[in-house]
Amino acid sequence: MATQKTLRLILGDQLNYRHSWFNQSRKNIVYTMMEVRQETDYVKHHIQKVAGFFAAMRSFSGALSEKGHRVIYFHLDDPENEQSIEENLQQLIRKEKFTRFEYLLPDEYRLDRQLEKIASRLPVPAAAFDTEHFLTERDEVRKLFDGKKRYLMESFYRHMRKKHDILIEDGKPAGGKWNYDQSNRNRYDGAVPLPAAKVFKNDVSDIAEMIDANGVKTFGDIEPKRFIWPVNRRQALSQLGEFNRKRLPHFGTYQDSMTEDSWSIFHSRLSFALNTKMLHPMEVIRPAIGQSQKKTGQAIGIEQIEGFVRQILGWREYMRGIYWAHMPGYETLNHFDHRAALPDYYWTADTRMNCMRAAIAQSLKHAYAHHIQRLMVTGNFALLAGVHPDEVDAWYLGIYIDAIQWVEIVNTRGMSQFADGGIVATKPYISSANYIRKMSDHCDGCWYAAGKNTGDRSCPFNSFYWDFLNRNRRKLANNFRMAMMYRTWDRMKEDKRRQLLKQAKQYRAKLNSL
Ligand code: FAD
Ligand code: SF4
C-alpha cells in the first residue's frame, strides 16, 4: 500500500503549542498556515489585530519548524497565494500529491461550515480534530439547558466549578460562597498603586508594511517597532506571570472600575493569548488558584481569585456554548428593532462625552478596552441610542485584538445590546450617568454634567436612558428586574418626563456630534 501523505491546516486562532498533533511522528505530515484576504477582509479590522494575528502565526510556524515539522506558510503577498483557503489547499494537494487532509475544528460558524464544504470537495479524504483548547464541548451548554428558556450563566458556572473541581472544598464552594460579585464593584480609589501595563516591543514593521502595500483596509493606530501584544508562547507566559504577581491581588476589587489614569487597570489583557490559543484556559486558572493557597508570602483573597476564575471558567466557556447553541441565526437578532447608524466618533473618538472619548481613544490606540468600558460605556451608549446591532457588531469585531465572532457576537449582540431578547442577560445592561460617575473618574472633567438630566450640557446618557425605557416599555415592563426602573419613571411628574423625552429627541437629532 502506498504511504499516506497528510496535509494539516492550522488557522490563525489555532496556535496551540501543546496540541497532541505536534508530539506525533513528523513523517509524511506537512502543516500549512495561510495569511489570506478572505480573513483580512470579512470585516474592517484594527491594524493591530491583523498584524498581531500574522505575527503570532509566523512565530508559531517558526516554532513548529524548529521542532522539525515541515510547514508550508503562505505570506499575504506570496505570488502563489490564491487568497482563499480552499484554493490554496487545492493547489497544495495537487502540487505535492497529498493523499489525506486534516484540520482542527474552527470556532467560528462561518469557517466551520466553509471547512466542512471544502473537505467534501477535496480530491482526498478529510478528517477534523479537536483544538484541545476549551473546557467544554461545543454543545455542552445547549445540552445543560435543554428545554429551558433562559441559559443562566450562574448555573453553568457552578456546573463547571464542580466538574473541574475548581475552588471546591469538601464538595462546597471555597470560602463558603459561589460568587463574590458583590466584592467586585469598587471604584478605583488610589489605595494601591496602578501597575504600568506590561507591554512588549515586538518589531512588526515588515508585516504592517505588507498589509498597507497590499491595500488591506484597516483602521486604528500602530507603533510597528513597538508592538505591544504577545506574539509567541514565551511572551504569553510572561504576560501571565506578570498578571499573577502584580494585578491579580487587586483584580476582583477593581474589576468594574474605570479610570483616566490607566487603560487596563488590573485586568490581565490575556484575551489575545487565550483566543489565539497560545495559552490554555487551565494554564491561566491553575496558577491563579495557587496564589490563594500560597503557604509563604501573602496569599491572595478568594474574592480576587474567584472574580478572575469566573471570567474564564464561567463567562468565556458559557459564551462559546451560547454561540454554538444559537448559530446560525444569532447574528440577525434585533429584539428592539434598532435602526440608527453607529455615530462617527466610534471611529475617531472625537466626542465631548469624556467616558466615550476615553474608551474609544484607547481602543483605537491599543485595540483594547476592558470589559466595563465595552459593556457600560460604548455598548451602553449604542443600546440607549438605538444603534442597529449589525453596526455595533461590526465595530466590536473589528476593533479589538481579541475579537473573534464566537466570543464577540454573544457579548455584543447578547450581553451588551440585548438583541437576543434575553438569552444571555436577564435584563439589558443600561445605565444613566450615575453608574459611570460611581465607577470612574470620567465625569469629573467632562464637558457634560453627569448630574443634569435636561438642558444645556446635560449628560446624554441620562435622557437617553429614560427615553430607552419609555420606548421599549412593551418589551420590558413584564421583566421583574426592570420593575423598579418603571416605577421610578411612573412616579415622575408628567412635565419632567416630557422634558426628558424632548431632550433625548434633541440629542438623537445630533447624535453624530455629541
Ligand atoms: P480580564 O478582565 O483580565 O478577564 C480575564 C479573561 O476572562 C479574559 O481574557 C477573557 O478571556 C475572559 N473573559 C472575561 N469576560 C468575558 C466575557 N464576557 N466573555 C468571554 N470571556 C471573558 N472578549 C473577547 O475575548 N473577545 C471579544 O471579541 C469580546 N468582545 C466583547 C464585546 C463586548 C460588547 C463586551 C461587553 C465584552 C466583550 N468581550 C470580548 C469580553 C471581555 O470584555 C474581554 O474578554 C476582556 O475585556 C478582555 O480583556 P482582559 O484579557 O484584560 O480580560
Ligand atoms: Fe460620560 Fe456623561 Fe459622565 Fe460625561 S457626564 S463622562 S458623558 S457619563
Side-chain angles (χ1 to χ4, degrees), residues 280-318:
H280 188 275
M282 273 304 174
E283 284 184 292
V284 178
I285 292 170
R286 295 266 180 227
I289 293 168
Q291 300 274 346
S292 69
Q293 295 161 341
K294 271 199 304 201
K295 298 276 181 286
T296 54
Q298 214 180 2
I300 298 177
I302 181 78
E303 65 289 353
Q304 314 298 335
I305 310 283
E306 189 282 321
F308 182 66
V309 167
R310 191 186 332 130
Q311 308 308 315
I312 298 168
L313 187 69
W315 282 110
R316 187 167 185 267
E317 299 283 331
Y318 169 77

mmCIF file of all heavy atoms in Angstrom, residues 280-318:
data_model
loop_
_atom_site.group_PDB
_atom_site.id
_atom_site.type_symbol
_atom_site.label_atom_id
_atom_site.label_comp_id
_atom_site.label_asym_id
_atom_site.label_seq_id
_atom_site.Cartn_x
_atom_site.Cartn_y
_atom_site.Cartn_z
ATOM 1 N N HIS A 280 -3.604 27.961 27.312
ATOM 2 C CA HIS A 280 -4.782 27.139 27.585
ATOM 3 C C HIS A 280 -5.485 27.736 28.804
ATOM 4 O O HIS A 280 -4.828 28.218 29.724
ATOM 5 C CB HIS A 280 -4.328 25.701 27.885
ATOM 6 C CG HIS A 280 -5.454 24.737 28.002
ATOM 7 N ND1 HIS A 280 -6.151 24.546 29.183
ATOM 8 C CD2 HIS A 280 -6.028 23.919 27.083
ATOM 9 C CE1 HIS A 280 -7.104 23.642 28.972
ATOM 10 N NE2 HIS A 280 -7.043 23.246 27.714
ATOM 11 N N PRO A 281 -6.841 27.723 28.815
ATOM 12 C CA PRO A 281 -7.534 28.330 29.965
ATOM 13 C C PRO A 281 -7.091 27.773 31.319
ATOM 14 O O PRO A 281 -6.977 28.534 32.295
ATOM 15 C CB PRO A 281 -9.012 28.034 29.693
ATOM 16 C CG PRO A 281 -9.082 27.184 28.473
ATOM 17 C CD PRO A 281 -7.776 27.286 27.767
ATOM 18 N N MET A 282 -6.792 26.473 31.389
ATOM 19 C CA MET A 282 -6.367 25.903 32.685
ATOM 20 C C MET A 282 -4.984 26.408 33.100
ATOM 21 O O MET A 282 -4.676 26.490 34.277
ATOM 22 C CB MET A 282 -6.370 24.375 32.636
ATOM 23 C CG MET A 282 -7.703 23.769 32.972
ATOM 24 S SD MET A 282 -8.330 24.297 34.598
ATOM 25 C CE MET A 282 -9.956 23.545 34.561
ATOM 26 N N GLU A 283 -4.173 26.774 32.098
ATOM 27 C CA GLU A 283 -2.854 27.339 32.433
ATOM 28 C C GLU A 283 -3.003 28.698 33.097
ATOM 29 O O GLU A 283 -2.091 29.194 33.742
ATOM 30 C CB GLU A 283 -2.038 27.543 31.149
ATOM 31 C CG GLU A 283 -1.471 26.299 30.563
ATOM 32 C CD GLU A 283 -0.613 26.642 29.351
ATOM 33 O OE1 GLU A 283 -1.170 27.093 28.333
ATOM 34 O OE2 GLU A 283 0.614 26.473 29.430
ATOM 35 N N VAL A 284 -4.138 29.310 32.869
ATOM 36 C CA VAL A 284 -4.395 30.628 33.448
ATOM 37 C C VAL A 284 -5.118 30.474 34.791
ATOM 38 O O VAL A 284 -4.824 31.169 35.758
ATOM 39 C CB VAL A 284 -5.232 31.476 32.449
ATOM 40 C CG1 VAL A 284 -5.555 32.836 33.021
ATOM 41 C CG2 VAL A 284 -4.479 31.621 31.125
ATOM 42 N N ILE A 285 -6.024 29.521 34.843
ATOM 43 C CA ILE A 285 -6.830 29.329 36.059
ATOM 44 C C ILE A 285 -5.997 28.730 37.204
ATOM 45 O O ILE A 285 -6.034 29.208 38.331
ATOM 46 C CB ILE A 285 -8.050 28.410 35.748
ATOM 47 C CG1 ILE A 285 -9.026 29.149 34.818
ATOM 48 C CG2 ILE A 285 -8.752 27.949 37.014
ATOM 49 C CD1 ILE A 285 -10.137 28.281 34.253
ATOM 50 N N ARG A 286 -5.218 27.694 36.904
ATOM 51 C CA ARG A 286 -4.495 26.970 37.970
ATOM 52 C C ARG A 286 -3.537 27.859 38.761
ATOM 53 O O ARG A 286 -3.580 27.852 39.996
ATOM 54 C CB ARG A 286 -3.738 25.754 37.402
ATOM 55 C CG ARG A 286 -4.653 24.691 36.847
ATOM 56 C CD ARG A 286 -4.964 23.614 37.908
ATOM 57 N NE ARG A 286 -5.857 22.620 37.327
ATOM 58 C CZ ARG A 286 -6.957 22.156 37.914
ATOM 59 N NH1 ARG A 286 -7.294 22.583 39.123
ATOM 60 N NH2 ARG A 286 -7.705 21.267 37.323
ATOM 61 N N PRO A 287 -2.666 28.622 38.095
ATOM 62 C CA PRO A 287 -1.765 29.464 38.898
ATOM 63 C C PRO A 287 -2.508 30.503 39.727
ATOM 64 O O PRO A 287 -2.079 30.854 40.829
ATOM 65 C CB PRO A 287 -0.864 30.156 37.878
ATOM 66 C CG PRO A 287 -1.260 29.685 36.550
ATOM 67 C CD PRO A 287 -2.392 28.721 36.675
ATOM 68 N N ALA A 288 -3.656 30.966 39.218
ATOM 69 C CA ALA A 288 -4.430 31.940 40.000
ATOM 70 C C ALA A 288 -4.895 31.283 41.293
ATOM 71 O O ALA A 288 -4.775 31.856 42.387
ATOM 72 C CB ALA A 288 -5.625 32.432 39.178
ATOM 73 N N ILE A 289 -5.383 30.064 41.185
ATOM 74 C CA ILE A 289 -5.842 29.367 42.391
ATOM 75 C C ILE A 289 -4.665 29.113 43.327
ATOM 76 O O ILE A 289 -4.763 29.278 44.543
ATOM 77 C CB ILE A 289 -6.529 28.040 42.014
ATOM 78 C CG1 ILE A 289 -7.811 28.376 41.270
ATOM 79 C CG2 ILE A 289 -6.846 27.205 43.240
ATOM 80 C CD1 ILE A 289 -8.443 27.212 40.608
ATOM 81 N N GLY A 290 -3.522 28.778 42.715
ATOM 82 C CA GLY A 290 -2.298 28.563 43.507
ATOM 83 C C GLY A 290 -1.976 29.773 44.370
ATOM 84 O O GLY A 290 -1.494 29.640 45.498
ATOM 85 N N GLN A 291 -2.276 30.942 43.882
ATOM 86 C CA GLN A 291 -1.962 32.178 44.626
ATOM 87 C C GLN A 291 -2.809 32.284 45.891
ATOM 88 O O GLN A 291 -2.427 32.951 46.841
ATOM 89 C CB GLN A 291 -2.244 33.414 43.762
ATOM 90 C CG GLN A 291 -1.447 33.487 42.493
ATOM 91 C CD GLN A 291 -0.099 34.143 42.720
ATOM 92 O OE1 GLN A 291 0.136 34.761 43.754
ATOM 93 N NE2 GLN A 291 0.795 33.994 41.776
ATOM 94 N N SER A 292 -3.994 31.643 45.873
ATOM 95 C CA SER A 292 -4.833 31.743 47.069
ATOM 96 C C SER A 292 -4.418 30.709 48.100
ATOM 97 O O SER A 292 -4.827 30.758 49.252
ATOM 98 C CB SER A 292 -6.310 31.547 46.708
ATOM 99 O OG SER A 292 -6.527 30.211 46.329
ATOM 100 N N GLN A 293 -3.592 29.744 47.644
ATOM 101 C CA GLN A 293 -3.222 28.668 48.571
ATOM 102 C C GLN A 293 -1.767 28.755 48.991
ATOM 103 O O GLN A 293 -1.219 27.812 49.555
ATOM 104 C CB GLN A 293 -3.477 27.315 47.884
ATOM 105 C CG GLN A 293 -4.956 27.087 47.603
ATOM 106 C CD GLN A 293 -5.178 26.031 46.543
ATOM 107 O OE1 GLN A 293 -4.273 25.710 45.779
ATOM 108 N NE2 GLN A 293 -6.393 25.506 46.488
ATOM 109 N N LYS A 294 -1.119 29.901 48.681
ATOM 110 C CA LYS A 294 0.301 30.038 48.987
ATOM 111 C C LYS A 294 0.558 29.859 50.479
ATOM 112 O O LYS A 294 -0.140 30.433 51.302
ATOM 113 C CB LYS A 294 0.795 31.427 48.558
ATOM 114 C CG LYS A 294 1.271 31.466 47.136
ATOM 115 C CD LYS A 294 2.159 32.633 46.819
ATOM 116 C CE LYS A 294 1.583 33.971 47.111
ATOM 117 N NZ LYS A 294 2.203 35.058 46.388
ATOM 118 N N LYS A 295 1.589 29.095 50.775
ATOM 119 C CA LYS A 295 1.923 28.882 52.191
ATOM 120 C C LYS A 295 2.867 29.990 52.661
ATOM 121 O O LYS A 295 2.853 30.396 53.811
ATOM 122 C CB LYS A 295 2.593 27.506 52.373
ATOM 123 C CG LYS A 295 1.686 26.350 51.986
ATOM 124 C CD LYS A 295 0.759 25.952 53.137
ATOM 125 C CE LYS A 295 -0.142 24.795 52.802
ATOM 126 N NZ LYS A 295 -1.242 25.064 51.906
ATOM 127 N N THR A 296 3.722 30.448 51.713
ATOM 128 C CA THR A 296 4.644 31.527 52.086
ATOM 129 C C THR A 296 4.182 32.811 51.412
ATOM 130 O O THR A 296 3.431 32.773 50.447
ATOM 131 C CB THR A 296 6.075 31.208 51.592
ATOM 132 O OG1 THR A 296 5.979 30.947 50.197
ATOM 133 C CG2 THR A 296 6.667 30.030 52.314
ATOM 134 N N GLY A 297 4.650 33.951 51.909
ATOM 135 C CA GLY A 297 4.251 35.229 51.323
ATOM 136 C C GLY A 297 2.780 35.460 51.610
ATOM 137 O O GLY A 297 2.161 34.764 52.410
ATOM 138 N N GLN A 298 2.210 36.417 50.894
ATOM 139 C CA GLN A 298 0.822 36.731 51.192
ATOM 140 C C GLN A 298 -0.130 36.042 50.227
ATOM 141 O O GLN A 298 -0.029 36.222 49.011
ATOM 142 C CB GLN A 298 0.638 38.237 51.118
ATOM 143 C CG GLN A 298 -0.366 38.679 52.129
ATOM 144 C CD GLN A 298 -0.548 40.175 52.068
ATOM 145 O OE1 GLN A 298 0.042 40.865 51.249
ATOM 146 N NE2 GLN A 298 -1.377 40.670 52.938
ATOM 147 N N ALA A 299 -1.012 35.228 50.778
ATOM 148 C CA ALA A 299 -1.996 34.583 49.915
ATOM 149 C C ALA A 299 -2.999 35.639 49.440
ATOM 150 O O ALA A 299 -3.296 36.589 50.153
ATOM 151 C CB ALA A 299 -2.714 33.488 50.682
ATOM 152 N N ILE A 300 -3.494 35.435 48.221
ATOM 153 C CA ILE A 300 -4.454 36.406 47.664
ATOM 154 C C ILE A 300 -5.868 35.976 48.041
ATOM 155 O O ILE A 300 -6.204 34.796 48.003
ATOM 156 C CB ILE A 300 -4.279 36.488 46.134
ATOM 157 C CG1 ILE A 300 -2.862 36.979 45.816
ATOM 158 C CG2 ILE A 300 -5.300 37.409 45.508
ATOM 159 C CD1 ILE A 300 -2.552 37.018 44.330
ATOM 160 N N GLY A 301 -6.689 36.935 48.398
ATOM 161 C CA GLY A 301 -8.040 36.655 48.891
ATOM 162 C C GLY A 301 -8.919 35.970 47.855
ATOM 163 O O GLY A 301 -8.783 36.198 46.646
ATOM 164 N N ILE A 302 -9.838 35.169 48.347
ATOM 165 C CA ILE A 302 -10.737 34.404 47.482
ATOM 166 C C ILE A 302 -11.563 35.321 46.560
ATOM 167 O O ILE A 302 -11.860 34.982 45.422
ATOM 168 C CB ILE A 302 -11.669 33.487 48.339
ATOM 169 C CG1 ILE A 302 -12.618 32.647 47.474
ATOM 170 C CG2 ILE A 302 -12.500 34.280 49.339
ATOM 171 C CD1 ILE A 302 -11.993 31.470 46.842
ATOM 172 N N GLU A 303 -11.902 36.534 47.044
ATOM 173 C CA GLU A 303 -12.763 37.400 46.228
ATOM 174 C C GLU A 303 -12.018 37.913 44.982
ATOM 175 O O GLU A 303 -12.636 38.243 43.974
ATOM 176 C CB GLU A 303 -13.364 38.552 47.049
ATOM 177 C CG GLU A 303 -12.417 39.593 47.612
ATOM 178 C CD GLU A 303 -11.536 39.106 48.754
ATOM 179 O OE1 GLU A 303 -11.726 37.970 49.236
ATOM 180 O OE2 GLU A 303 -10.630 39.854 49.145
ATOM 181 N N GLN A 304 -10.680 37.960 45.067
ATOM 182 C CA GLN A 304 -9.900 38.346 43.878
ATOM 183 C C GLN A 304 -9.843 37.164 42.909
ATOM 184 O O GLN A 304 -10.049 37.309 41.706
ATOM 185 C CB GLN A 304 -8.460 38.744 44.252
ATOM 186 C CG GLN A 304 -8.325 39.680 45.435
ATOM 187 C CD GLN A 304 -8.994 41.034 45.188
ATOM 188 O OE1 GLN A 304 -9.165 41.462 44.058
ATOM 189 N NE2 GLN A 304 -9.391 41.698 46.265
ATOM 190 N N ILE A 305 -9.525 36.003 43.476
ATOM 191 C CA ILE A 305 -9.309 34.810 42.644
ATOM 192 C C ILE A 305 -10.616 34.367 41.987
ATOM 193 O O ILE A 305 -10.663 34.114 40.780
ATOM 194 C CB ILE A 305 -8.781 33.629 43.508
ATOM 195 C CG1 ILE A 305 -7.596 34.066 44.368
ATOM 196 C CG2 ILE A 305 -8.499 32.400 42.668
ATOM 197 C CD1 ILE A 305 -6.301 34.196 43.681
ATOM 198 N N GLU A 306 -11.666 34.298 42.795
ATOM 199 C CA GLU A 306 -12.951 33.828 42.247
ATOM 200 C C GLU A 306 -13.418 34.770 41.135
ATOM 201 O O GLU A 306 -13.898 34.338 40.089
ATOM 202 C CB GLU A 306 -13.987 33.723 43.375
ATOM 203 C CG GLU A 306 -15.301 33.049 42.975
ATOM 204 C CD GLU A 306 -16.257 33.935 42.185
ATOM 205 O OE1 GLU A 306 -16.373 35.149 42.492
ATOM 206 O OE2 GLU A 306 -16.865 33.436 41.232
ATOM 207 N N GLY A 307 -13.243 36.071 41.348
ATOM 208 C CA GLY A 307 -13.657 37.058 40.346
ATOM 209 C C GLY A 307 -12.960 36.811 39.022
ATOM 210 O O GLY A 307 -13.546 36.997 37.947
ATOM 211 N N PHE A 308 -11.719 36.370 39.064
ATOM 212 C CA PHE A 308 -10.951 36.116 37.847
ATOM 213 C C PHE A 308 -11.331 34.759 37.227
ATOM 214 O O PHE A 308 -11.591 34.665 36.022
ATOM 215 C CB PHE A 308 -9.456 36.174 38.179
ATOM 216 C CG PHE A 308 -8.575 35.985 36.985
ATOM 217 C CD1 PHE A 308 -8.558 36.926 35.966
ATOM 218 C CD2 PHE A 308 -7.760 34.861 36.860
ATOM 219 C CE1 PHE A 308 -7.752 36.752 34.837
ATOM 220 C CE2 PHE A 308 -6.952 34.680 35.748
ATOM 221 C CZ PHE A 308 -6.945 35.632 34.738
ATOM 222 N N VAL A 309 -11.385 33.748 38.076
ATOM 223 C CA VAL A 309 -11.709 32.397 37.593
ATOM 224 C C VAL A 309 -13.078 32.403 36.903
ATOM 225 O O VAL A 309 -13.276 31.769 35.864
ATOM 226 C CB VAL A 309 -11.685 31.391 38.779
ATOM 227 C CG1 VAL A 309 -12.316 30.063 38.391
ATOM 228 C CG2 VAL A 309 -10.248 31.176 39.250
ATOM 229 N N ARG A 310 -14.025 33.147 37.482
ATOM 230 C CA ARG A 310 -15.388 33.212 36.921
ATOM 231 C C ARG A 310 -15.367 33.667 35.460
ATOM 232 O O ARG A 310 -16.114 33.190 34.622
ATOM 233 C CB ARG A 310 -16.242 34.173 37.752
ATOM 234 C CG ARG A 310 -17.709 34.113 37.420
ATOM 235 C CD ARG A 310 -18.528 35.186 38.170
ATOM 236 N NE ARG A 310 -17.964 35.586 39.428
ATOM 237 C CZ ARG A 310 -17.778 36.864 39.796
ATOM 238 N NH1 ARG A 310 -18.143 37.852 39.008
ATOM 239 N NH2 ARG A 310 -17.242 37.160 40.972
ATOM 240 N N GLN A 311 -14.448 34.594 35.145
ATOM 241 C CA GLN A 311 -14.402 35.126 33.781
ATOM 242 C C GLN A 311 -14.026 34.040 32.773
ATOM 243 O O GLN A 311 -14.553 33.999 31.671
ATOM 244 C CB GLN A 311 -13.379 36.271 33.661
ATOM 245 C CG GLN A 311 -13.515 37.383 34.678
ATOM 246 C CD GLN A 311 -14.922 37.928 34.744
ATOM 247 O OE1 GLN A 311 -15.549 38.182 33.722
ATOM 248 N NE2 GLN A 311 -15.446 38.090 35.945
ATOM 249 N N ILE A 312 -13.104 33.184 33.190
ATOM 250 C CA ILE A 312 -12.559 32.222 32.222
ATOM 251 C C ILE A 312 -13.301 30.883 32.268
ATOM 252 O O ILE A 312 -13.745 30.372 31.244
ATOM 253 C CB ILE A 312 -11.051 32.051 32.466
ATOM 254 C CG1 ILE A 312 -10.395 33.410 32.239
ATOM 255 C CG2 ILE A 312 -10.449 30.994 31.558
ATOM 256 C CD1 ILE A 312 -8.993 33.507 32.685
ATOM 257 N N LEU A 313 -13.444 30.348 33.476
ATOM 258 C CA LEU A 313 -14.158 29.071 33.622
ATOM 259 C C LEU A 313 -15.650 29.264 33.355
ATOM 260 O O LEU A 313 -16.326 28.376 32.845
ATOM 261 C CB LEU A 313 -13.962 28.552 35.055
ATOM 262 C CG LEU A 313 -14.481 27.162 35.375
ATOM 263 C CD1 LEU A 313 -13.665 26.105 34.655
ATOM 264 C CD2 LEU A 313 -14.457 26.908 36.880
ATOM 265 N N GLY A 314 -16.158 30.441 33.729
ATOM 266 C CA GLY A 314 -17.583 30.728 33.559
ATOM 267 C C GLY A 314 -17.879 31.431 32.242
ATOM 268 O O GLY A 314 -18.213 30.801 31.241
ATOM 269 N N TRP A 315 -17.688 32.733 32.230
ATOM 270 C CA TRP A 315 -18.149 33.545 31.096
ATOM 271 C C TRP A 315 -17.621 33.082 29.741
ATOM 272 O O TRP A 315 -18.353 32.975 28.768
ATOM 273 C CB TRP A 315 -17.785 35.021 31.310
ATOM 274 C CG TRP A 315 -18.727 35.688 32.259
ATOM 275 C CD1 TRP A 315 -18.451 36.109 33.524
ATOM 276 C CD2 TRP A 315 -20.119 35.991 32.032
ATOM 277 N NE1 TRP A 315 -19.573 36.657 34.102
ATOM 278 C CE2 TRP A 315 -20.611 36.601 33.206
ATOM 279 C CE3 TRP A 315 -20.984 35.806 30.968
ATOM 280 C CZ2 TRP A 315 -21.932 37.024 33.327
ATOM 281 C CZ3 TRP A 315 -22.305 36.221 31.086
ATOM 282 C CH2 TRP A 315 -22.763 36.826 32.256
ATOM 283 N N ARG A 316 -16.323 32.813 29.687
ATOM 284 C CA ARG A 316 -15.728 32.515 28.376
ATOM 285 C C ARG A 316 -16.323 31.230 27.778
ATOM 286 O O ARG A 316 -16.692 31.185 26.607
ATOM 287 C CB ARG A 316 -14.205 32.412 28.535
ATOM 288 C CG ARG A 316 -13.460 32.284 27.229
ATOM 289 C CD ARG A 316 -11.965 32.510 27.455
ATOM 290 N NE ARG A 316 -11.248 32.498 26.201
ATOM 291 C CZ ARG A 316 -10.674 31.421 25.677
ATOM 292 N NH1 ARG A 316 -10.728 30.260 26.317
ATOM 293 N NH2 ARG A 316 -10.035 31.499 24.517
ATOM 294 N N GLU A 317 -16.421 30.185 28.585
ATOM 295 C CA GLU A 317 -16.948 28.917 28.089
ATOM 296 C C GLU A 317 -18.452 29.019 27.827
ATOM 297 O O GLU A 317 -18.976 28.436 26.870
ATOM 298 C CB GLU A 317 -16.660 27.793 29.104
ATOM 299 C CG GLU A 317 -15.183 27.549 29.371
ATOM 300 C CD GLU A 317 -14.476 26.772 28.266
ATOM 301 O OE1 GLU A 317 -15.121 25.962 27.582
ATOM 302 O OE2 GLU A 317 -13.248 26.980 28.094
ATOM 303 N N TYR A 318 -19.122 29.779 28.691
ATOM 304 C CA TYR A 318 -20.578 29.967 28.554
ATOM 305 C C TYR A 318 -20.910 30.676 27.237
ATOM 306 O O TYR A 318 -21.804 30.271 26.489
ATOM 307 C CB TYR A 318 -21.037 30.765 29.770
ATOM 308 C CG TYR A 318 -22.439 31.306 29.743
ATOM 309 C CD1 TYR A 318 -23.538 30.479 29.985
ATOM 310 C CD2 TYR A 318 -22.666 32.663 29.535
ATOM 311 C CE1 TYR A 318 -24.826 31.002 29.996
ATOM 312 C CE2 TYR A 318 -23.944 33.188 29.545
ATOM 313 C CZ TYR A 318 -25.024 32.350 29.769
ATOM 314 O OH TYR A 318 -26.285 32.878 29.791
#
